Amino acid sequence: MESRKGVIMKRIISILILSTFFGILLPRATWAGPSAGAADRLYVLDCGQGHAPDESRWTVGVNVGKPIDISVSCYLVHHANGYFLWDTGISDAVAAMPDGWYPNNNPATDIHWTRAKTLESQLAEIGVKPSDIKFIGISHTHPDHIGNAELFPTVPFLIQKAEFDYYFAPGKTGIAKPPSDARPTFSKEHPVNLVQEDLDVFGDGSVMIVYTPGHTPGHQSCLVHLAKTGWILLSGDAVHLQDNWDNRRIPYFGTMPAEQKLQTQLSMQRMADLISFYHAQLWINHEKTQSDKLKHAPAYYE
């Protein structure tokens, strides 16, 4: 009998072949094309900074031992039907830690996380309360993306069912958080809308969740349309660095199962297809050199 891994590999290869001929890597909502609606504003929020002693944790065999600084951004979209927040960043509690946060208390290997200001204060600066937000899209359940999830206890999360099941799987203990953060990282009782692959958030093609698994089983990215700026694809962690994108480099290559590597490659190809179809910009969440050039809140894109 063929192994489960063999079956999965064959399915992924079949999907790749079919996508080449039939273009199924584009989401269902793309066929709206230029007639899609547009969100009013997009704010870039500073959701933390990280310093890692070895870049090769993401680049596998390249730049071994080279220190690297990474950005963490959250994105607030204003639409005629409400606010949509994409990711919640590193815990706001880190902003009050003068020496920052080492999740495993090991400066030799940990990412050193810091926050210049809290997510809550940045929302307040533009006149937005946590309760004003209609939906929160969660790219995936790592601590630099869900660190402030329970700052919004009544706001529904838009999260892939595969990611929800992965995070709350039996025997899993959740993720690290600063000891001073009294809130749960992500409560199972939190209201959620479980997404199955793609989702048109407001029903007009202006904000689309795009299924990009690989980094985690239910990873997703977000495609936003603005009237003046055009289309922007928010990467999540489907790709971490510009150089990784340019070279289609897969993080954790040595330890990642074969089917997960293929998923990552498929997702990166899907992103490339979307960028080509929409003439979209790619905003890479952890690429600090790019993030530093973007306008940050209270400024915005429209």
Side-chain angles (χ1 to χ4, degrees):
M1 181 178 292
E2 188 172 14
S3 69
R4 180 176 179 274
K5 181 178 287 188
V7 170
I8 292 172
M9 291 281 284
K10 283 186 175 180
R11 287 177 180 172
I12 292 173
I13 291 168
S14 296
I15 290 170
L16 182 58
I17 293 169
L18 286 170
S19 69
T20 301
F21 288 98
F22 298 106
I24 62 171
L25 288 180
L26 294 174
R28 293 179 291 277
T30 57
W31 309 119
S35 65
D40 301 320
R41 295 181 177 183
L42 171 62
Y43 296 89
V44 181
L45 305 170
D46 178 358
C47 278
Q49 301 287 325
H51 177 82
D54 185 357
E55 182 182 322
S56 67
R57 68 186 295 155
W58 295 289
T59 57
V60 187
V62 178
N63 293 331
V64 177
K66 179 183 176 182
I68 184 173
D69 293 314
I70 61 173
S71 56
V72 180
S73 295
C74 305
Y75 305 90
L76 181 69
V77 177
H78 183 263
H79 185 275
N81 291 328
Y83 282 103
F84 169 79
L85 179 66
W86 180 251
D87 279 341
T88 70
I90 285 290
S91 169
D92 275 1
V94 174
M97 301 171 71
D99 298 322
W101 177 47
Y102 291 97
N104 297 303
N105 296 315
N106 188 347
T109 59
D110 278 7
I111 300 175
H112 178 213
W113 296 111
T114 57
R115 281 204 73 129
K117 45 190 172 181
T118 65
L119 173 58
E120 189 170 20
S121 69
Q122 291 175 81
L123 292 174
E125 190 176 7
I126 54 180
V128 176
K129 302 187 297 292
S131 58
D132 292 335
I133 296 171
K134 187 170 184 177
F135 299 114
I136 296 176
I138 300 295
S139 65
H140 64 296
T141 53
H142 284 168
D144 49 328
H145 297 265
I146 63 167
N148 295 296
E150 295 307 327
L151 177 62
F152 312 90
T154 63
V155 181
F157 289 162
L158 306 181
I159 183 172
Q160 292 287 328
K161 182 179 184 301
E163 189 72 9
F164 184 88
D165 292 345
Y166 163 74
Y167 185 79
F168 290 110
K172 289 197 70 174
T173 57
I175 57 173
K177 66 173 185 172
S180 57
D181 189 347
R183 295 188 305 251
T185 305
F186 179 7
S187 170
K188 196 170 186 179
E189 286 67 48
H190 195 111
V192 297
N193 294 347
L194 297 180
V195 181
Q196 300 269 21
E197 299 189 1
D198 298 340
L199 178 69
D200 186 344
V201 175
F202 292 107
D204 63 356
S206 63
V207 180
M208 294 186 289
I209 285 175
V210 180
Y211 184 45
T212 51
H215 180 64
T216 61
H219 186 280
Q220 55 189 13
S221 303
C222 187
L223 186 65
V224 179
H225 184 220
L226 298 167
K228 293 183 180 179
T229 305
W231 296 90
I232 300 166
L233 180 59
L234 306 175
S235 69
D237 279 4
V239 58
H240 289 76
L241 306 170
Q242 183 66 48
D243 192 50
N244 279 13
W245 173 255
D246 294 341
N247 293 283
R248 295 297 189 269
R249 191 176 290 129
I250 303 172
Y252 326 119
F253 193 86
T255 57
M256 186 180 280
E259 61 268 29
Q260 196 172 343
K261 295 174 191 175
L262 276 174
Q263 277 190 324
T264 302
Q265 290 170 327
L266 279 169
S267 291
M268 293 176 82
Q269 182 57 52
R270 182 178 199 201
M271 293 166 68
D273 290 345
L274 288 166
I275 291 165
S276 175
F277 186 89
Y278 285 112
H279 305 288
Q281 300 177 50
L282 174 62
W283 287 5
I284 300 174
N285 185 60
H286 290 312
E287 181 55 67
K288 189 175 186 300
T289 55
Q290 181 189 51
S291 177
D292 287 347
K293 295 174 183 176
L294 297 176
K295 294 186 291 188
H296 282 68
Y300 54 85
Y301 292 86
E302 57 184 357

